[in-house]
Every structure is written in structure tokens, then in C-alpha cells.
């Protein structure tokens, strides 16, 4: 699953990837640097600590992304 969120800070969108099959969880920030995580939980924790919906042009897209990421997290826990 991939998400692209347009930040108010950059013309380059922030990207979030949650690939359950390959176990890849990563994101690209507004400054185009990135972070890589081992689990969806780590990815979600980083996003909650460092990003907020108000940083993005579409707050609804941010909330939908978080909803879907948390759904992936729950699937992994069961």
C-alpha cells in the first residue's frame, strides 16, 4: 500500500509505503529524506510523533492513511 500526501512545506509529496508481503515500511519526508521501519507499528509511532494532519493539504487523506495503516497493524497482530 502506498500513500502520497502533499505537504504545505514542499512541492515534492511525502510518500508512505506499507508493503506487507515484502515487510517494507518506509516513508519520504517533505525534505526528501527518508525513514525505514521494521513493522507497521514503528511506522505509525513515527508518524504520530512527527507529523500531524494540519501539515498536509488534505487532512482527510492523512486521516484515511492512518486508518488504513492501523488496519494493517491489526492484521499483523492477529
Amino acid at each position: 500500500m502506498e500513500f502520497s500526501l502533499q505537504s504545505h512545506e514542499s512541492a515534492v509529496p511525502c510518500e508512505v509505503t506499507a508493503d506487507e508481503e515484502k515487510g517494507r515500511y518506509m516513508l519520504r519526508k517533505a525534505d526528501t529524506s527518508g525513514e525505514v521501519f521494521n513493522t507497521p507499528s514503528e511506522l505509525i509511532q513515527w508518524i504520530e510523533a512527527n507529523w500531524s494532519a494540519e501539515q498536509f493539504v488534505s487532512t482527510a487523506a492523512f486521516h484515511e492513511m492512518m486508518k488504513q495503516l492501523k488496519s494493517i497493524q491489526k492484521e499483523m497482530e492477529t
Side-chain angles (χ1 to χ4, degrees):
M1 201 173 287
E2 293 188 14
F3 304 94
S4 182
L5 300 171
Q6 187 60 53
S7 168
H8 292 292
E9 300 173 19
S10 174
V12 178
C14 296
E15 302 281 342
V16 177
T17 301
D19 185 344
E20 300 164 80
E21 291 179 10
K22 296 181 182 175
R24 299 179 327 152
Y25 306 95
M26 62 189 91
L27 58 83
R28 181 179 68 200
K29 299 181 257 181
D31 65 2
T32 69
S33 65
E35 299 284 340
V36 179
F37 307 93
N38 294 316
T39 66
S41 297
E42 291 175 4
L43 173 62
I44 291 167
Q45 287 173 352
W46 188 96
I47 292 171
E48 289 176 337
N50 294 281
W51 285 354
S52 67
E54 293 74 28
Q55 290 176 269
F56 300 97
V57 173
S58 173
T59 58
F62 177 85
H63 290 298
E64 180 61 27
M65 175 193 70
M66 292 303 293
K67 179 180 169 185
Q68 290 186 35
L69 290 174
K70 288 179 180 183
S71 174
I72 291 169
Q73 178 185 24
K74 285 181 184 176
E75 288 176 20
M76 298 283 294
E77 291 174 353
T78 57

